[in-house]
């Protein structure tokens, strides 16, 4: 693969210009391949050792060392290979007869030709070589030279003679009659540009030769007599194409609009208004181009290696003149010289000197939570007294954060109308209010802008159902044990529920909705469940209550739980002691430790005080 260099010119409104060149390097990612699956050759038995026959070359799209580097023949007995290099660096193989052939002994040979590239490891491709040994006349055509080099101008007319090849054969009759042709592996492009007379060997121009499309062409020519078992002769013709000044310079104006360029009347000297690139496909002095700006205008052209810039060169005043017609002339160095021109208009614009002004200094909107995403919130409006694009106002959100999230995820704004929409459903429990800024920017160059603050207040809605947190529930059920001898007003358990809503939406009351309500009651405010009577020996051992926690929202939401209350005889004595063991004993132990520490502190303080009286100092901690 050839090297590819990309030049990128960047123009800004300053004198800083950067040229970036990128070179794409080749990788050995292709294996050599032959154009056919097999090569068939006929070789006369009279071919002496040292006879060479060019073989079809393998093709590898990789370049340099990654292209085809060598060829091998298997087995290597009667024939060998000699590797040669063309002018373009490509390599091909010639089959070399190394020993005398005898058709009567063996008339056919089969070999494998392997083409290898220069990679590590090497990639390779193979082709089958079939050789048929035939009888041949005893004299072969011979060229005067093995290779020829000729020069042809790129504007050579059709049928112009390139070279007159002459091969000789001392045989008589058809054995000495020679036919000329291009070898089969001559490229189609070369066949389009050149042709050969099969009888005379004259190569002539048959197509439009263009130096810019190809500098060198290599033509492999074969001369073969008409006798039986003919051994053809081969030569190489290298055609060098000479450049002619036949391309006019091409001017490209690299700007937003190639016909009209706008510049502010306040532009400073050396301000870049356009980038100009001139190309000429010719080479050498024929492709060397000089540019200049025609006329007496307040602009100048500055040339660089591969491009030019047009700069402000004087004071611009729109009130005196609002546009200029500039003409660029490009002229190459050929003889005779070719030139071209390109004209464009420079329009002088007013300066943008007014900021957009909002109708309010502060915007506020109140919205209920759980709003629909995409709902309209409010509109902001700003005016700009400038004209045209300088007075055209567009709106956008100023980047900021709301609860560590970009404000762009909360709201959006129509850049033309200033309408603001919610992008998500707001949650009062997470965000009670938030603020963001809106920027109003005009279309001037440079643009001017103003900001205004918008505050969104999210109103609470009863959207959270109470959650019962105590007593602990398993699949919505809690089991509670009380002693059978529990008296009236005995605290069975306390029901607690949480509600993330605020105000009345989060205020919870409790009630027993189903079950053994005749034996128990619940405090509506604190959720305490107490007994309303005593239990006798004949009372059942299990009681069921369904307790509901309900908020005061509109509409109200509620949660319920099943509480199973068990009466245990063991709780009359042992269970009560057991429950005391778990809590009361722990409290008693802590109290005992605290009492011991308290007595110890009093003892130490008294002793220290007594000692201080004796030594008249207080030295005790």
């Amino acid at each position: 693969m050839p090297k590819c260099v990309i030049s990128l010119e960047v123009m800004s409104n300053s004198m800083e210009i950067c040229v970036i060149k990128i070179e794409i390097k080749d990788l050995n990612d292709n294996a050599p391949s032959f154009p056919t699956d097999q090569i068939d050759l006929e070789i006369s038995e009279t071919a002496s050792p040292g006879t060479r026959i060019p073989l079809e070359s393998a093709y590898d799209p990789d370049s340099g060392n990654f292209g085809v580097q060598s060829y091998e023949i298997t087995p290597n007995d009667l024939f060998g290979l000699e590797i040669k290099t063309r002018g373009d660096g490509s390599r091909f193989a010639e089959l070399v007869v190394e020993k005398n052939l005898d058709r009567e002994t063996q008339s056919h040979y089969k070999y494998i030709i392997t083409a290898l590239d220069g990679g590590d490891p090497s990639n390779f491709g193979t082709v089958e070589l079939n050789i048929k040994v035939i009888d041949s006349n005893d004299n072969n055509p011979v060229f005067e030279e093995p290779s020829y080099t000729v020069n042809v101008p790129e504007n050579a007319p059709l049928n112009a003679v390139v070279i007159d090849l002459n091969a000789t054969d001392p045989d008589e009759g058809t054995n000495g009659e020679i036919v000329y042709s291009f070898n089969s592996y001559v490229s189609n492009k070369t066949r389009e540009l050149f042709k050969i007379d099969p009888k005379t060997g004259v190569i002539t121009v048959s197509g439009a030769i263009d130096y810019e499309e190809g500098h060198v062409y290599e033509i492999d020519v074969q001369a073969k007599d008409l006798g039986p078992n003919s051994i053809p002769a081969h030569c190489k013709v290298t055609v060098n194409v000479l450049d002619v000044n036949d391309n006019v310079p091409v001017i490209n104006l690299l700007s937003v609009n190639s016909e009209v360029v706008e510049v502010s009347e306040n532009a400073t000297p050396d301000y870049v208004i356009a980038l100009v690139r001139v190309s000429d496909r010719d080479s050498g002095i024929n492709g060397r181009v000089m540019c200049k700006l025609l006329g007496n205008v307040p602009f100048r052209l500055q040339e660089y290696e591969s491009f030019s810039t047009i700069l402000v060169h004087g004071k611009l005043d729109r009130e005196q003149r609002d546009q200029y017609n500039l003409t660029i002339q490009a002229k190459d160095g050929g003889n005779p010289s070719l030139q071209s021109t390109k004209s464009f208009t420079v329009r002088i614009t007013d300066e943008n000197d007014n900021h957009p002004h909002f109708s309010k200094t502060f915007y506020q909107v109140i919205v209920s939570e759980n709003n629909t995403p995409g709902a309209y919130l409010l509109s902001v409006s700003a005016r700009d007294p400038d004209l045209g694009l300088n007075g055209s106002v567009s709106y956008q959100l100023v980047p900021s954060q709301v609860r560590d999230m970009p404000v762009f995820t909360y709201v959006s704004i129509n850049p033309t109308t200033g309408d603001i929409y919610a992008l998500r459903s707001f949650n009062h429990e997470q965000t009670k209010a938030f603020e963001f800024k809106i920027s109003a920017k005009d279309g001037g160059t440079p643009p001017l802008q103003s900001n205004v603050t918008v505050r969104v207040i999210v109103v609470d809605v009863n959207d959270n159902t109470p959650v019962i947190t105590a007593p602990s529930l398993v699949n919505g059920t809690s089991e509670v044990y009380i002693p059978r001898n529990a008296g009236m007003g005995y605290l069975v358990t306390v029901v607690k529920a949480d509600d993330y809503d605020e105000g009345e939406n989060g205020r919870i009351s409790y009630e027993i909705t189903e079950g053994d309500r005749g034996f128990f009651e619940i405090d509506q405010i604190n959720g305490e469940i107490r007994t309303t009577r005593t239990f006798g020996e004949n009372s059942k051992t299990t009681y069921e209550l369904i307790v509901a926690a309900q908020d005061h929202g509109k509409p109200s939401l509620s949660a319920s739980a099943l509480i199973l209350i068990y009466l245990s005889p063991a709780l009359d004595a042992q269970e009560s002691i057991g429950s005391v063991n778990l809590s009361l004993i722990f409290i008693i132990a802590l109290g005992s430790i605290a009492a011991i520490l308290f007595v110890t502190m009093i003892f130490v303080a008294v002793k220290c005080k007594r000692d201080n009286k004796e030594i008249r100092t207080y030295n005790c901690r």
Side-chain angles (χ1 to χ4, degrees):
M1 179 182 287
K3 294 182 179 178
C4 177
V5 178
I6 303 173
S7 297
L8 175 63
E9 291 91 15
V10 180
M11 182 190 75
S12 64
N13 291 338
S14 66
M15 285 294 293
E16 297 180 359
I17 297 174
C18 176
V19 178
I20 301 174
K21 293 185 177 180
I22 302 173
E23 179 178 341
I24 301 175
K25 294 186 176 180
D26 191 22
L27 295 176
N28 187 24
D29 55 350
N30 292 281
S33 62
F34 287 90
T36 59
D37 295 333
Q38 66 179 24
I39 300 175
D40 296 322
L41 291 180
E42 294 182 350
I43 302 178
S44 173
E45 63 178 339
T46 60
S48 60
T51 301
R52 288 170 169 77
I53 303 171
L55 298 178
E56 294 188 34
S57 301
Y59 172 71
D60 191 330
D62 294 323
S63 62
N65 289 333
F66 295 148
V68 177
Q69 298 296 315
S70 63
Y71 295 84
E72 296 178 354
I73 184 170
T74 306
N76 187 3
D77 47 12
L78 297 178
F79 301 92
L81 293 180
E82 181 173 339
I83 313 303
K84 291 190 176 183
T85 303
R86 294 190 177 93
D88 60 358
S90 62
R91 298 188 177 184
F92 66 97
E94 288 186 347
L95 184 69
V96 181
V97 179
E98 296 183 343
K99 297 179 181 180
N100 291 322
L101 304 177
D102 186 354
R103 187 190 67 82
E104 287 70 29
T105 301
Q106 184 173 349
S107 62
H108 291 84
Y109 296 89
K110 285 190 177 182
Y111 295 92
I112 298 298
I113 303 297
T114 303
L116 301 98
D117 61 21
D120 186 12
S122 298
N123 294 326
F124 64 89
T126 61
V127 66
E128 183 181 276
L129 175 62
N130 296 322
I131 300 176
K132 180 179 179 181
V133 181
I134 60 175
D135 286 330
S136 177
N137 55 7
D138 56 353
N139 286 288
N140 304 316
V142 177
F143 283 102
E144 295 176 353
E145 299 289 341
S147 62
Y148 302 87
T149 300
V150 293
N151 297 326
V152 177
E154 65 174 330
N155 61 352
L158 295 179
N159 299 321
V161 176
V162 176
I163 189 172
D164 185 359
L165 296 176
N166 184 26
T168 59
D169 190 328
D171 293 326
E172 294 182 350
T174 57
N175 290 336
E177 186 178 345
I178 298 174
V179 175
Y180 300 88
S181 64
F182 291 157
N183 278 337
S184 60
Y185 46 84
V186 173
S187 67
N188 292 333
K189 179 62 177 177
T190 303
R191 294 176 184 272
E192 292 175 359
L193 299 180
F194 306 97
K195 65 180 180 180
I196 187 170
D197 190 305
K199 294 183 177 181
T200 64
V202 176
I203 298 178
T204 56
V205 176
S206 61
I209 303 175
D210 191 347
Y211 175 85
E212 287 68 41
E213 293 183 2
H215 302 346
V216 179
Y217 296 92
E218 291 187 353
I219 307 174
D220 292 301
V221 179
Q222 165 181 286
K224 184 178 181 181
D225 62 34
L226 298 180
N229 307 323
S230 174
I231 298 178
H234 298 84
C235 74
K236 181 177 69 174
V237 178
T238 301
V239 180
N240 294 322
V241 180
L242 303 179
D243 185 36
V244 175
N245 189 26
D246 58 345
N247 290 284
V248 177
V250 177
I251 304 173
N252 291 316
L253 183 66
L254 305 180
S255 64
V256 176
N257 188 332
S258 61
E259 301 299 331
V260 178
V261 176
E262 292 187 348
V263 58
S264 170
E265 62 178 335
N266 199 32
T268 59
D270 294 335
Y271 176 85
V272 177
I273 66 169
L275 185 65
V276 179
R277 184 162 190 159
V278 180
S279 59
D280 193 318
R281 298 182 61 194
D282 294 321
S283 62
I285 193 171
N286 294 332
R288 192 174 304 156
V289 181
M290 299 293 292
C291 295
K292 67 178 180 179
L293 199 60
L294 303 179
N296 185 17
V297 291
F299 302 94
R300 67 182 180 90
L301 187 143
Q302 181 170 328
E303 292 187 272
Y304 294 91
E305 180 180 354
S306 58
F307 58 90
S308 301
T309 57
I310 298 178
L311 313 173
V312 175
H313 187 63
K315 178 63 178 176
L316 303 179
D317 189 348
R318 191 194 69 84
E319 287 69 31
Q320 292 185 5
R321 186 171 180 179
D322 61 356
Q323 73 177 28
Y324 295 86
N325 292 323
L326 303 185
T327 300
I328 303 171
Q329 182 187 73
K331 186 176 182 180
D332 64 28
N335 186 18
S337 176
L338 301 178
Q339 67 179 31
S340 62
T341 60
K342 184 176 183 63
S343 299
F344 64 98
T345 300
V346 178
R347 184 177 299 158
I348 312 301
T349 63
D350 274 331
E351 181 72 15
N352 184 29
D353 56 355
N354 287 284
H355 288 77
H357 179 72
F358 282 97
S359 59
K360 295 181 181 180
T361 58
F362 180 80
Y363 289 86
Q364 179 173 294
V365 62
I366 298 175
V367 59
S368 297
E369 66 172 333
N370 302 329
N371 58 288
T372 303
Y376 168 80
L377 297 180
L378 76 160
S379 296
V380 296
S381 177
R383 295 181 65 257
D384 192 320
D386 291 325
L387 299 177
L389 290 177
N390 293 337
S392 176
V393 179
S394 62
Y395 305 91
Q396 63 182 7
L397 291 169
V398 177
S400 62
Q401 299 286 321
V402 178
R403 291 179 56 86
D404 298 329
M405 293 291 291
V407 69
F408 305 105
T409 64
Y410 277 77
V411 294
S412 67
I413 187 169
N414 186 308
T416 304
T417 64
D419 296 336
I420 300 175
Y421 300 90
L423 290 182
R424 61 169 62 185
S425 181
F426 301 139
N427 190 338
H428 175 80
E429 286 72 36
Q430 295 180 355
T431 307
K432 295 178 175 57
F434 62 93
E435 292 184 355
F436 56 91
K437 291 184 180 296
I438 299 296
S439 172
K441 182 168 63 174
D442 62 29
T445 304
L448 301 178
Q449 65 181 34
S450 299
N451 295 340
V452 70
T453 300
V454 178
R455 179 176 178 81
V456 178
I457 299 175
V458 182
V459 179
D460 185 39
V461 174
N462 188 27
D463 58 345
N464 289 285
T465 302
V467 177
I468 297 176
T469 59
S472 298
L473 301 179
V474 177
N475 295 327
T477 304
S478 177
E479 297 180 351
V480 179
Y481 294 86
I482 65 174
R484 182 178 290 276
N485 61 354
M488 183 183 302
Y490 181 85
L491 179 61
V492 177
T493 187
V494 179
V495 179
K496 294 291 185 182
D498 292 335
D499 193 320
Y500 295 112
D501 292 321
E502 294 183 351
E504 289 298 299
N505 295 332
R507 186 167 67 88
I508 299 175
S509 60
Y510 305 90
E511 66 173 337
I512 300 174
T513 58
E514 295 182 28
D516 299 310
R517 287 182 285 184
F519 295 87
F520 305 93
E521 65 178 1
I522 189 170
D523 189 295
Q524 293 184 353
I525 298 176
N526 57 32
E528 293 179 352
I529 299 178
R530 295 181 181 273
T531 59
T532 59
R533 63 178 66 183
T534 59
F535 302 95
E537 291 296 332
N538 297 325
S539 299
K540 60 181 182 180
T541 60
T542 303
Y543 295 85
E544 294 184 359
L545 297 178
I546 295 181
V547 179
Q550 187 174 29
D551 62 27
H552 289 253
K554 293 183 180 180
S556 64
L557 302 175
S558 63
S560 61
L562 172 62
I563 299 179
L564 299 178
I565 303 172
Y566 297 98
L567 299 183
S568 177
L571 289 178
D572 294 346
Q574 185 178 354
E575 183 73 12
S576 61
I577 294 175
S579 61
V580 172
N581 288 340
L582 296 176
S583 58
L584 182 60
I585 293 177
F586 180 71
I587 296 174
I588 293 173
L590 290 178
S592 300
I593 295 173
I596 293 172
L597 291 175
F598 181 70
V599 172
T600 302
M601 292 175 61
I602 294 176
F603 174 77
V604 173
V606 172
K607 187 175 186 306
C608 290
K609 187 175 183 180
R610 185 182 299 127
D611 292 341
N612 289 338
K613 287 181 179 180
E614 295 177 358
I615 62 177
R616 298 298 180 180
T617 61
Y618 184 72
N619 192 22
C620 184
R621 291 182 180 272

